[in-house]
Amino acid sequence: MKGTLSCLASAGLDLGESLAVKFVRDQDVEFVATEYTVDEERATDFFNAFLVVRAVHDKSKENAKDDVASSPGDAIRPEAIRRDAIRRDDVAAVACLLCAPDVVESQVAAFMRRFDPDSTGVVTREAYHRVLQEECHSLRLNFLERVFFTFDEPTSSRTSLRVAVAVMLLITISSVGFVAATEEALQVPSPGGRWPPKEVAALEALEAGCIYLFTAEYLCRGATVHGVRDFLRQSTIEFELLGAPAKVSKARHANRAATPETPTPLPPPPPPFEASMVASKVAPEPAGPSGGLSGGPSGGAGGSSAQLSV
């Protein structure tokens, strides 16, 4: 395994803990972007990783057959990466590096179902990238999602940032107007003094305007939230090629191997029951030279037991 990983490193490929292709939504736009884009460079690196791992295994088998020693770099040949198709065995070889043994088969089967729906046993570069593009297209934002993100995520576009700044300014203005309305100089007494004084017309109009704008912003959120897919709230989404369950299972497998299970120790048994201890609590301490627990003709544990029996 170490030789295979060093071959991947020499080829400029870093698998990490799993194969996950990034889909990115542009945020440096005027309005919320509709499309996600595939990280084609990373997707191509992962496709090449399958070919490199397979080349390493094939080279190891040849060397074992011919009884020839080789270095990890010998397996990296340009024609190995220029191949345009990967097989099920190639996927299984990478899955063995990343996944626990108990999930390798399920991960390989899921990968082949995803990129080889016709069950040909081969995944071409064209089919691989076509499936990723189709998955990327499935992330296309609808109108409700774009409106919701405009009001809910300040970083989703430049317009969203302006909306967030405007809302913060409205909150500040509303708070200042609320405090200013408590000043007597900005209050108008009621006719006849029967009612408490009211704020001047300008502050009253300011408060009403803020309420209208806050209500409109809240209604825009409430009217569009039902059409939002939760996982699209992130600007970067990772689609697993060999997925998260493999990492979880691998971690559990490693923990079990590192720390074998040990039986839980039983709690210590309770102390034995002693009648003399109970007698010392129940029986009164006798007076006189012949009584007591400290000595005397009729004292001691025998006397205490007699008193307890009575």
Short mmCIF file of all heavy atoms in Angstrom, two decimals, residues 2-33:
data_model
loop_
_atom_site.label_atom_id
_atom_site.label_comp_id
_atom_site.label_asym_id
_atom_site.label_seq_id
_atom_site.Cartn_x
_atom_site.Cartn_y
_atom_site.Cartn_z
N LYS A 2 1.96 1.25 0.79
CA LYS A 2 2.81 2.43 0.84
C LYS A 2 3.44 2.70 -0.52
O LYS A 2 3.58 3.84 -0.94
CB LYS A 2 3.90 2.25 1.90
CG LYS A 2 3.36 2.24 3.32
CD LYS A 2 4.48 2.10 4.32
CE LYS A 2 3.95 2.13 5.75
NZ LYS A 2 5.03 1.99 6.74
N GLY A 3 3.84 1.61 -1.24
CA GLY A 3 4.41 1.79 -2.56
C GLY A 3 3.41 2.40 -3.52
O GLY A 3 3.76 3.26 -4.34
N THR A 4 2.17 1.98 -3.44
CA THR A 4 1.13 2.52 -4.31
C THR A 4 0.91 4.00 -4.04
O THR A 4 0.80 4.82 -4.96
CB THR A 4 -0.18 1.75 -4.14
OG1 THR A 4 0.06 0.37 -4.38
CG2 THR A 4 -1.24 2.25 -5.09
N LEU A 5 0.84 4.37 -2.76
CA LEU A 5 0.63 5.78 -2.42
C LEU A 5 1.81 6.64 -2.85
O LEU A 5 1.64 7.78 -3.28
CB LEU A 5 0.40 5.90 -0.90
CG LEU A 5 -0.88 5.25 -0.38
CD1 LEU A 5 -0.96 5.39 1.13
CD2 LEU A 5 -2.12 5.85 -1.03
N SER A 6 3.03 6.10 -2.75
CA SER A 6 4.19 6.86 -3.21
C SER A 6 4.18 7.03 -4.72
O SER A 6 4.60 8.06 -5.24
CB SER A 6 5.49 6.17 -2.76
OG SER A 6 5.58 4.87 -3.34
N CYS A 7 3.66 6.02 -5.43
CA CYS A 7 3.52 6.16 -6.89
C CYS A 7 2.53 7.27 -7.22
O CYS A 7 2.75 8.07 -8.15
CB CYS A 7 3.04 4.83 -7.49
SG CYS A 7 4.30 3.55 -7.56
N LEU A 8 1.43 7.31 -6.51
CA LEU A 8 0.45 8.36 -6.75
C LEU A 8 1.04 9.73 -6.46
O LEU A 8 0.79 10.70 -7.18
CB LEU A 8 -0.79 8.12 -5.89
CG LEU A 8 -1.63 6.89 -6.24
CD1 LEU A 8 -2.69 6.65 -5.17
CD2 LEU A 8 -2.29 7.06 -7.60
N ALA A 9 1.83 9.84 -5.38
CA ALA A 9 2.45 11.12 -5.05
C ALA A 9 3.45 11.53 -6.13
O ALA A 9 3.52 12.71 -6.51
CB ALA A 9 3.14 11.03 -3.69
N SER A 10 4.21 10.57 -6.67
CA SER A 10 5.17 10.91 -7.72
C SER A 10 4.47 11.32 -9.00
O SER A 10 5.02 12.06 -9.81
CB SER A 10 6.07 9.70 -8.00
OG SER A 10 5.32 8.61 -8.50
N ALA A 11 3.22 10.85 -9.20
CA ALA A 11 2.45 11.25 -10.37
C ALA A 11 1.65 12.53 -10.13
O ALA A 11 0.89 12.97 -10.99
CB ALA A 11 1.50 10.14 -10.78
N GLY A 12 1.80 13.14 -8.95
CA GLY A 12 1.09 14.37 -8.65
C GLY A 12 -0.35 14.16 -8.25
O GLY A 12 -1.15 15.08 -8.37
N LEU A 13 -0.70 12.97 -7.76
CA LEU A 13 -2.07 12.66 -7.38
C LEU A 13 -2.15 12.43 -5.88
O LEU A 13 -1.37 11.67 -5.32
CB LEU A 13 -2.56 11.40 -8.11
CG LEU A 13 -2.48 11.45 -9.64
CD1 LEU A 13 -2.88 10.11 -10.22
CD2 LEU A 13 -3.36 12.54 -10.20
N ASP A 14 -3.07 13.12 -5.22
CA ASP A 14 -3.27 12.99 -3.77
C ASP A 14 -4.70 12.56 -3.53
O ASP A 14 -5.64 13.33 -3.73
CB ASP A 14 -2.99 14.33 -3.07
CG ASP A 14 -3.12 14.21 -1.56
OD1 ASP A 14 -3.16 13.07 -1.06
OD2 ASP A 14 -3.18 15.25 -0.89
N LEU A 15 -4.87 11.31 -3.10
CA LEU A 15 -6.22 10.80 -2.89
C LEU A 15 -6.86 11.36 -1.63
O LEU A 15 -8.08 11.53 -1.56
CB LEU A 15 -6.19 9.26 -2.81
CG LEU A 15 -5.76 8.52 -4.06
CD1 LEU A 15 -5.87 7.02 -3.83
CD2 LEU A 15 -6.59 8.93 -5.26
N GLY A 16 -6.06 11.64 -0.61
CA GLY A 16 -6.65 12.06 0.65
C GLY A 16 -7.35 10.90 1.33
O GLY A 16 -6.93 9.74 1.22
N GLU A 17 -8.45 11.19 2.01
CA GLU A 17 -9.21 10.15 2.70
C GLU A 17 -10.30 9.55 1.83
O GLU A 17 -10.83 8.50 2.14
CB GLU A 17 -9.83 10.72 3.99
CG GLU A 17 -8.80 11.17 5.01
CD GLU A 17 -9.46 11.70 6.27
OE1 GLU A 17 -10.69 11.84 6.27
OE2 GLU A 17 -8.74 11.97 7.24
N SER A 18 -10.67 10.24 0.76
CA SER A 18 -11.71 9.74 -0.12
C SER A 18 -11.62 10.46 -1.45
O SER A 18 -10.90 11.45 -1.58
CB SER A 18 -13.10 9.96 0.49
OG SER A 18 -13.39 11.34 0.55
N LEU A 19 -12.34 9.97 -2.44
CA LEU A 19 -12.43 10.64 -3.73
C LEU A 19 -13.71 11.44 -3.76
O LEU A 19 -14.80 10.88 -3.73
CB LEU A 19 -12.42 9.61 -4.87
CG LEU A 19 -11.23 8.64 -4.91
CD1 LEU A 19 -11.30 7.80 -6.19
CD2 LEU A 19 -9.91 9.37 -4.85
N ALA A 20 -13.58 12.74 -3.80
CA ALA A 20 -14.76 13.62 -3.80
C ALA A 20 -14.53 14.75 -4.79
O ALA A 20 -13.59 15.53 -4.64
CB ALA A 20 -15.03 14.18 -2.40
N VAL A 21 -15.37 14.81 -5.81
CA VAL A 21 -15.27 15.85 -6.83
C VAL A 21 -16.06 17.07 -6.36
O VAL A 21 -17.20 16.95 -5.90
CB VAL A 21 -15.82 15.36 -8.18
CG1 VAL A 21 -15.78 16.47 -9.21
CG2 VAL A 21 -15.01 14.16 -8.66
N LYS A 22 -15.45 18.25 -6.47
CA LYS A 22 -16.08 19.49 -6.00
C LYS A 22 -16.93 20.12 -7.10
O LYS A 22 -16.50 20.23 -8.24
CB LYS A 22 -15.02 20.48 -5.53
CG LYS A 22 -14.31 20.10 -4.24
CD LYS A 22 -13.34 21.19 -3.82
CE LYS A 22 -12.67 20.84 -2.50
NZ LYS A 22 -11.73 21.90 -2.07
N PHE A 23 -18.13 20.53 -6.71
CA PHE A 23 -19.00 21.33 -7.57
C PHE A 23 -19.10 22.70 -6.90
O PHE A 23 -19.49 22.81 -5.74
CB PHE A 23 -20.38 20.70 -7.72
CG PHE A 23 -20.38 19.40 -8.48
CD1 PHE A 23 -21.51 18.61 -8.52
CD2 PHE A 23 -19.26 18.97 -9.16
CE1 PHE A 23 -21.51 17.41 -9.23
CE2 PHE A 23 -19.24 17.78 -9.86
CZ PHE A 23 -20.38 17.00 -9.90
N VAL A 24 -18.78 23.76 -7.64
CA VAL A 24 -18.64 25.10 -7.06
C VAL A 24 -19.65 26.04 -7.71
O VAL A 24 -19.83 26.02 -8.93
CB VAL A 24 -17.20 25.63 -7.25
CG1 VAL A 24 -17.06 27.01 -6.61
CG2 VAL A 24 -16.19 24.66 -6.67
N ARG A 25 -20.32 26.84 -6.88
CA ARG A 25 -21.22 27.89 -7.37
C ARG A 25 -20.52 29.24 -7.22
O ARG A 25 -20.09 29.62 -6.12
CB ARG A 25 -22.53 27.86 -6.58
CG ARG A 25 -23.47 29.01 -6.89
CD ARG A 25 -24.90 28.69 -6.48
NE ARG A 25 -25.03 28.14 -5.16
CZ ARG A 25 -25.16 28.86 -4.05
NH1 ARG A 25 -25.17 30.17 -4.11
NH2 ARG A 25 -25.30 28.27 -2.88
N ASP A 26 -20.40 29.97 -8.31
CA ASP A 26 -19.71 31.25 -8.30
C ASP A 26 -20.46 32.25 -7.42
O ASP A 26 -21.68 32.40 -7.52
CB ASP A 26 -19.60 31.79 -9.73
CG ASP A 26 -18.71 33.03 -9.81
OD1 ASP A 26 -18.03 33.32 -8.81
OD2 ASP A 26 -18.70 33.68 -10.86
N GLN A 27 -19.70 32.95 -6.55
CA GLN A 27 -20.32 33.93 -5.66
C GLN A 27 -19.95 35.37 -6.03
O GLN A 27 -20.54 36.30 -5.51
CB GLN A 27 -19.89 33.64 -4.21
CG GLN A 27 -20.43 32.32 -3.68
CD GLN A 27 -19.97 32.06 -2.26
OE1 GLN A 27 -18.78 31.97 -1.98
NE2 GLN A 27 -20.92 31.93 -1.36
N ASP A 28 -18.97 35.52 -6.88
CA ASP A 28 -18.56 36.87 -7.31
C ASP A 28 -19.34 37.27 -8.55
O ASP A 28 -18.78 37.54 -9.62
CB ASP A 28 -17.05 36.89 -7.57
CG ASP A 28 -16.55 38.31 -7.78
OD1 ASP A 28 -17.25 39.26 -7.37
OD2 ASP A 28 -15.45 38.46 -8.37
N VAL A 29 -20.67 37.29 -8.42
CA VAL A 29 -21.56 37.65 -9.52
C VAL A 29 -22.58 38.65 -8.99
O VAL A 29 -22.75 38.82 -7.78
CB VAL A 29 -22.28 36.41 -10.09
CG1 VAL A 29 -21.30 35.51 -10.83
CG2 VAL A 29 -22.98 35.63 -8.99
N GLU A 30 -23.28 39.30 -9.92
CA GLU A 30 -24.24 40.33 -9.51
C GLU A 30 -25.45 39.72 -8.82
O GLU A 30 -25.89 40.21 -7.78
CB GLU A 30 -24.68 41.12 -10.73
CG GLU A 30 -25.51 42.36 -10.40
CD GLU A 30 -24.71 43.38 -9.61
OE1 GLU A 30 -23.46 43.44 -9.77
OE2 GLU A 30 -25.32 44.13 -8.83
N PHE A 31 -26.00 38.65 -9.38
CA PHE A 31 -27.11 37.93 -8.78
C PHE A 31 -26.70 36.49 -8.49
O PHE A 31 -25.66 36.03 -8.99
CB PHE A 31 -28.33 37.95 -9.70
CG PHE A 31 -28.84 39.34 -10.00
CD1 PHE A 31 -28.52 39.96 -11.20
CD2 PHE A 31 -29.60 40.03 -9.07
CE1 PHE A 31 -28.97 41.24 -11.48
CE2 PHE A 31 -30.05 41.31 -9.34
CZ PHE A 31 -29.73 41.92 -10.54
N VAL A 32 -27.48 35.80 -7.69
CA VAL A 32 -27.14 34.43 -7.31
C VAL A 32 -27.01 33.57 -8.56
O VAL A 32 -27.92 33.53 -9.41
CB VAL A 32 -28.21 33.85 -6.37
CG1 VAL A 32 -27.88 32.41 -6.01
CG2 VAL A 32 -28.32 34.69 -5.11
N ALA A 33 -25.89 32.88 -8.69
CA ALA A 33 -25.63 32.06 -9.87
C ALA A 33 -26.58 30.87 -9.92
O ALA A 33 -26.93 30.28 -8.89
CB ALA A 33 -24.19 31.57 -9.87
#
